[in-house]
Amino acid sequence: MNHRKLFYALLLVLITFQAYTQKQKFSYLDVFKLEYVSDPQIAPNGSRIVYRRMGFDIMKDKADGNLWIINSDGSGHQKLSSLEASERSPRWSPSGDRIAFISTTTEGSEIYMYWLNSGKLAKISQLPFSPGSLTWSPKGDQLAFSMNVEKDPPVIAKIPEKPEGAKWAEKPRITDRLYHEADGRGYIKPGFNHIFVIPAQGGAIRQLTSGDYHHRGQLSWSAEGDRIFFSGNRTDNWEYDFRNSEIYQVEVTSGRIKALTERKGPDNNPVVSPDGKYIAYLGYQDKVQTYQVRKLHIMKSDGTGKMVLSKDLDRSISGMIWDAKNAGLYISYDDKGNTKVGYISLEGKISKLADNLGGTSIGRPYAGGSFSASREGTIAFTQSRPDYPAELAVRDSKSKRTTRITALNKALFDYRTLGNVEEVWYKSSVDQRDLQGWVVYPPDYDKNRKYPFLVENHGGPVLNYGDRFSAEMQLYAAAGYIVFYPNARGSTSYGEEFGNLLYNNYPGEDYNDVIDGVDYCIKNGIAHEDQLYVTGGSAGGIMTAWIIGKNNRFRAAVVAKPVMNWISKTLVADNYFGYANSRYPGQPWENFEGYWKFSPLSLVGNIETPTMVMVGMEDLRTPPSEAKQLYHALKLRKIETVLVEIPGASHSIASKPSNLITKIAHTIAWFEKYRE
C-alpha cells in the first residue's frame, strides 16, 4: 500500500513537471517579456560592441532601454554603467577608449562619458533640452550634437493677469506655423533645432548655427575637425518647400554656413570619408510622385564632383558607413521584404554581405534595425527572423561568417511554440506581376484540419512587411488563425516602379493584389472560402474598408485607424500639407472628384460585412473623426458594427504594450463572434 502511494505520488510529480515544462503558445503577457537589441555600435578595433538593450516595463507600460557591452565573440556580456535610467545613442571615441551616450531621467536628458580603462562614469553636460545626433570630432576632443532652441509664439492678444489663487482656464495655444503638431508628440512648441559643440571633458556648450531654420539629422565632422556637415533647408520658402533639403557645412570657429548641394529634392545624412576627400549622402531628384528610391551620392568635400554611386541599385539605401580605406561604403537596403547589409565600391559595384537585418519593430513585421562597422570591416547588426526579434549578430571581416552572439529571449522562447512562417509567391491577375506574401500557421497546425484565415494588410502604404518577428502575427496564430500578410503593389523593397504604381491610384490594383493572394491560398488548400477574415491598420485599415466595400466574401472585418474620406482627412491630419500632387493631383478643393473617388466612404453603401472600427483617441495622423465616419455610416445602414476607441493612444497604437494587447484581443474577440 505504501509502495502504491509512493508510485502515485511520483506519477503526480512527473505529470506536474511535464505540464510545467511543456511548451506553451505565445500569449498576451509574453509581450511584456520580450527584449531586443537596438543601435549596436562596434568599437573601432572591432573587439567590443555596445548596444541598447530594449525591454518592456509592465508597471509603466512602455518600452525602455539601457546600454550593455559585449565582446565580439559573445563573451563578457554585461551592463555598461551603474545608471538605473534610460540610456541611448552610445558612440565610441575615435581611439576607442571612451563611450559617449545620452541618459534620460525625470529631470531631463544629459550627455555622459564612460572611460573603458577605468570604468569611471561622468555627466559632462547641463542642457536645457534633449540632445540628439551625438558625434565625435576626429581628434576626440569635442562632441557635436543638435538640440532644440525655444522661440516665443506669435502674440495675438494681451490678457490681464489673473488674481492670486484664481483658477482660470489654460492659456490658448497660438501658432502661425505650417507644421505645428505631430502624431505621438502632440502640439509642437515653437522653436528650431540648432547644432552645438561641447568639450569631451565637459564644459560650456557653444551654439554654431542660428536663424529660424531647422538643423538636424546626422552630423559629420571634416577630417581636420574645422567643419561640421549637416542637412537642412535654409531657404526663405523652407516651410512650404518641406520635401527639399540640402547638405551644408558650418565652420566650427566662425559659424559660417555654406550650402554644398542645390537641387530640388531631399539631400541628407552626410558622411565624410576617413581621408576627408569625399562626402557621401542620400537623396534623389524630386519628381513629385508617391515613391522615389533614395540613392547614394558622393561629392568632394568642397561640394564639387557630384555623382550617383548607387545608380544601378533599384532599392532605397538607409544606413551607410565609409570603409577605412576610403574605397567604398557599407550600406543597408530592403530587398523583397528582407533587409540586407551590403558594400558598394566607388565604382558602384555592389556586393551583399548579410541578410536579415531588422527586428526592432516588435508589433508587426516592418523593416528596421541598424548596423555599424569596425575599421577592419567587421559588422555588428540587429538580426531578426520570424521566430525572434532583434538579436546582436556579427559578420567577421576575415572569415566572412555571420554569428548571432546574443539570445535575449532564450528564457522565454525555450518554453514557447511559435507559429511557422512560410513565404509564398503568386501572380497578379491585373498584369501578371510576381507578388510576395507570408503565411503564419497556428503552432499546433494540422493540414487535415480547417482553420479560419485572417488577412492582415500593412500600413504605409509605402512600407513593407517581411520575414521578421511579429508579436501581433504570432498572437493571431496562437488564437488558431492562419494569417496571411502580403506586400501588394506600392510596397517598398521591389523598386521604384512597383512602389509608385499607387500614384493617383490608391486604393487601386493593390486591392486585386490582396484578393489574388487570398485566391492563391484557397487554391492551395491553405484558406477556405467560408472562413475568411480581414483586418489592417492605417493604410491597412484603408485597404480593409476598401475590400469590404468591394466584396462580401469575408465573415468579419476589423478596420483600424483608417482614412475613410480623403477630403476631410487631408486637411485635419498632422501631415495635411504633404498629400497634394504626391498622392493625388492638386488640393482637395481643386480635385474634389479625384479625392472622393479613392475614399473608402464612397463604397460604404455596399458593405454587408460585420465590422469593428478601431482608433486611438489621440490619433493625429488618421483622426478619430475618420473612424467615426465609417462607424456612423454603418450604424445608419444597420450593419453589425462596434466602435473601439482607445484612450491616450496615438496613431501608433502598439507603442504601449498594453494597447498592442488590446488591439489584438478585441480583433480576435470580434472575429470569434462570427466563427462557426
Side-chain angles (χ1 to χ4, degrees):
M1 190 71 173
N2 289 336
H3 291 292
R4 183 178 297 177
K5 287 183 178 180
L6 178 62
F7 169 76
Y8 284 120
L10 290 173
L11 181 62
L12 180 61
V13 170
L14 179 62
I15 292 172
T16 304
F17 176 76
Q18 288 178 332
Y20 181 77
T21 58
Q22 185 178 14
K23 285 191 174 184
Q24 302 173 357
K25 297 177 182 178
F26 190 70
S27 65
Y28 292 131
L29 289 180
D30 286 339
V31 172
F32 283 103
K33 301 173 186 176
L34 293 171
E35 295 186 42
Y36 61 97
V37 171
S38 176
D39 194 14
Q41 297 293 317
I42 192 166
N45 65 6
S47 62
R48 307 176 84 180
I49 301 159
V50 61
Y51 72 93
R52 191 180 192 205
R53 185 169 180 169
M54 299 295 297
F56 298 100
D57 189 322
I58 196 170
M59 302 305 293
K60 297 180 180 178
D61 193 19
K62 68 174 185 176
D64 208 347
N66 45 41
L67 301 182
W68 284 62
I69 192 165
I70 186 171
N71 294 328
S72 294
D73 62 2
S75 64
H77 195 194
Q78 59 186 300
K79 192 175 183 299
L80 180 71
S81 79
S82 59
L83 292 176
E84 293 298 331
S86 176
E87 299 168 333
R88 60 183 172 90
S89 304
R91 296 297 180 263
W92 291 90
S93 65
S95 60
D97 64 333
R98 291 159 292 167
I99 298 172
F101 65 93
I102 298 168
S103 180
T104 302
T105 67
T106 55
E107 297 179 353
S109 298
E110 300 291 351
I111 301 172
Y112 281 75
M113 191 67 67
Y114 179 86
W115 284 265
L116 270 294
N117 291 338
S118 66
K120 295 290 181 63
L121 178 74
K123 182 175 72 172
I124 65 168
S125 69
Q126 286 185 306
L127 305 176
F129 300 103
S130 178
S133 304
L134 199 60
T135 311
W136 282 90
S137 66
K139 296 179 181 179
D141 60 340
Q142 296 186 84
L143 289 157
F145 63 95
S146 64
M147 186 175 65
N148 184 67
V149 176
E150 281 194 341
K151 185 177 175 63
D152 292 334
V155 176
I156 304 299
K158 292 185 178 181
I159 306 298
E161 291 293 326
K162 66 180 181 180
E164 185 176 352
K167 296 182 179 180
W168 287 15
E170 292 185 13
K171 293 181 180 180
R173 297 188 324 208
I174 305 166
T175 189
D176 59 358
R177 294 162 292 154
L178 183 75
Y179 187 42
H180 58 92
E181 60 182 357
D183 183 73
R185 179 180 172 188
Y187 178 70
I188 303 171
K189 292 182 178 180
F192 293 92
N193 265 61
H194 287 286
I195 298 171
F196 295 79
V197 292
I198 185 173
Q201 297 296 326
I205 64 172
R206 185 162 59 89
Q207 183 175 331
L208 300 186
T209 58
S210 60
D212 289 348
Y213 310 102
H214 287 294
H215 313 78
R216 52 191 173 197
Q218 185 167 308
L219 307 177
S220 186
W221 291 76
S222 66
E224 299 80 12
D226 60 343
R227 292 166 293 161
I228 295 173
F229 300 93
F230 65 95
S231 62
N233 187 338
R234 289 176 55 89
T235 63
D236 292 340
N237 196 42
W238 67 269
E239 194 172 20
Y240 288 88
D241 194 18
F242 51 86
R243 268 188 289 271
N244 189 53
S245 61
E246 308 295 350
I247 305 298
Y248 295 87
Q249 69 174 32
V250 57
E251 295 178 4
V252 175
T253 302
S254 67
R256 282 194 293 266
I257 295 175
K258 176 184 176 182
L260 301 181
T261 60
E262 56 182 10
R263 69 174 174 180
K264 178 179 173 61
D267 292 320
N268 47 46
N269 294 80
V271 183
V272 179
S273 61
D275 62 8
K277 292 182 178 180
Y278 297 103
I279 301 171
Y281 59 101
L282 300 177
Y284 54 80
Q285 180 74 33
D286 190 7
K287 293 174 282 191
V288 189
Q289 57 189 39
T290 299
Y291 175 62
Q292 298 176 74
V293 165
R294 191 168 49 248
K295 296 288 187 180
L296 173 59
H297 302 70
I298 62 169
M299 61 182 169
K300 294 180 180 179
S301 60
D302 62 0
T304 63
K306 297 179 180 67
M307 62 178 290
V308 181
L309 206 57
S310 63
K311 60 180 181 296
D312 295 329
L313 179 65
D314 188 22
R315 299 291 186 269
S316 280
I317 291 177
S318 298
M320 55 177 181
I321 300 170
W322 280 95
D323 72 0
K325 297 178 181 178
N326 308 286
L329 298 100
Y330 303 101
I331 59 174
S332 60
Y333 56 94
D334 293 348
D335 181 46
K336 297 177 182 176
N338 187 277
T339 308
K340 318 293 185 184
V341 180
Y343 180 83
I344 183 169
S345 70
L346 294 188
E347 290 73 41
K349 182 181 178 181
I350 298 169
S351 53
K352 187 189 75 172
L353 303 180
D355 299 300
N356 308 322
L357 186 149
T360 55
S361 176
I362 296 297
R364 291 185 280 172
Y366 287 122
S370 59
F371 74 97
S372 60
S374 73
R375 291 195 184 104
E376 297 301 318
T378 295
I379 295 169
F381 66 99
T382 56
Q383 183 193 75
S384 177
R385 302 302 297 136
D387 56 343
Y388 58 85
E391 296 284 0
L392 184 57
V394 175
R395 184 197 184 264
D396 185 74
S397 60
K398 295 179 181 178
S399 69
K400 314 301 181 188
R401 288 198 300 266
T402 296
T403 306
R404 189 180 72 166
I405 64 170
T406 62
L408 301 185
N409 294 286
K410 179 177 173 57
L412 174 64
F413 287 153
D414 276 357
Y415 299 95
R416 295 294 182 272
T417 301
L418 299 178
N420 184 53
V421 180
E422 176 183 88
E423 180 180 333
V424 296
W425 285 87
Y426 58 96
K427 292 286 186 181
S428 163
S429 62
V430 175
D431 49 19
Q432 296 304 300
R433 292 175 186 272
D434 291 323
L435 300 171
Q436 186 183 24
W438 288 266
V439 175
V440 188
Y441 295 93
D444 54 358
Y445 179 69
D446 179 353
K447 64 180 181 180
N448 297 313
R449 284 182 54 195
K450 185 177 179 180
Y451 293 86
F453 185 79
L454 189 161
V455 179
E456 216 286 347
N457 297 292
H458 75 64
V462 186
L463 288 172
N464 70 79
Y465 274 162
D467 51 352
R468 312 168 182 111
F469 179 80
S470 166
E472 296 188 19
M473 304 299 179
Q474 289 296 335
L475 288 171
Y476 286 136
Y481 289 80
I482 294 176
V483 188
F484 171 59
Y485 60 94
N487 276 342
R489 66 190 64 211
S491 301
T492 56
S493 78
Y494 304 91
E496 185 168 304
E497 189 263 348
F498 187 87
N500 199 45
L501 288 170
L502 300 187
Y503 178 64
N504 197 29
N505 189 34
Y506 170 64
E509 285 79 25
D510 47 330
Y511 159 79
N512 303 84
D513 293 350
V514 175
I515 298 302
D516 288 339
V518 174
D519 290 339
Y520 168 88
C521 290
I522 291 174
K523 180 180 178 181
N524 287 274
I526 301 170
H528 302 277
E529 184 66 41
D530 61 344
Q531 286 293 318
L532 303 180
Y533 302 82
V534 62
T535 187
S538 193
I542 298 170
M543 178 51 61
T544 302
W546 195 260
I547 285 173
I548 61 176
K550 287 281 189 177
N551 69 70
N552 296 315
R553 297 175 63 181
F554 294 85
R555 296 179 67 88
V558 175
V559 177
K561 51 187 180 182
V563 173
M564 291 303 300
N565 183 341
W566 284 110
I567 299 164
S568 58
K569 137 69 179 182
T570 301
L571 293 176
V572 297
D574 64 332
N575 60 347
Y576 68 100
F577 49 82
Y579 284 90
N581 301 317
S582 64
R583 187 65 58 82
Y584 307 113
Q587 295 287 1
W589 60 89
E590 299 168 333
N591 182 20
F592 185 91
E593 292 183 359
Y595 277 73
W596 179 249
K597 173 184 176 182
F598 295 108
S599 296
L601 192 62
S602 68
L603 302 177
V604 77
N606 302 331
I607 295 176
E608 300 295 334
T609 306
T611 302
M612 171 181 283
V613 186
M614 186 183 301
V615 69
M617 295 177 70
E618 303 298 324
D619 192 330
L620 297 178
R621 184 61 47 85
T622 55
S625 57
E626 291 296 309
K628 288 179 180 178
Q629 288 183 63
L630 175 59
Y631 172 69
H632 291 163
L634 294 179
K635 287 301 293 183
L636 290 173
R637 293 194 56 242
K638 298 183 179 179
I639 303 298
E640 291 181 85
T641 184
V642 293
L643 175 64
V644 178
E645 298 177 285
I646 303 177
S650 65
H651 189 66
S652 181
I653 291 174
S655 61
K656 284 183 176 293
S658 66
N659 281 342
L660 184 157
I661 294 168
T662 293
K663 173 188 171 186
I664 303 303
H666 282 80
T667 299
I668 291 172
W670 182 250
F671 288 162
E672 290 295 300
K673 286 187 62 176
Y674 302 96
R675 281 184 63 174
E676 290 183 346

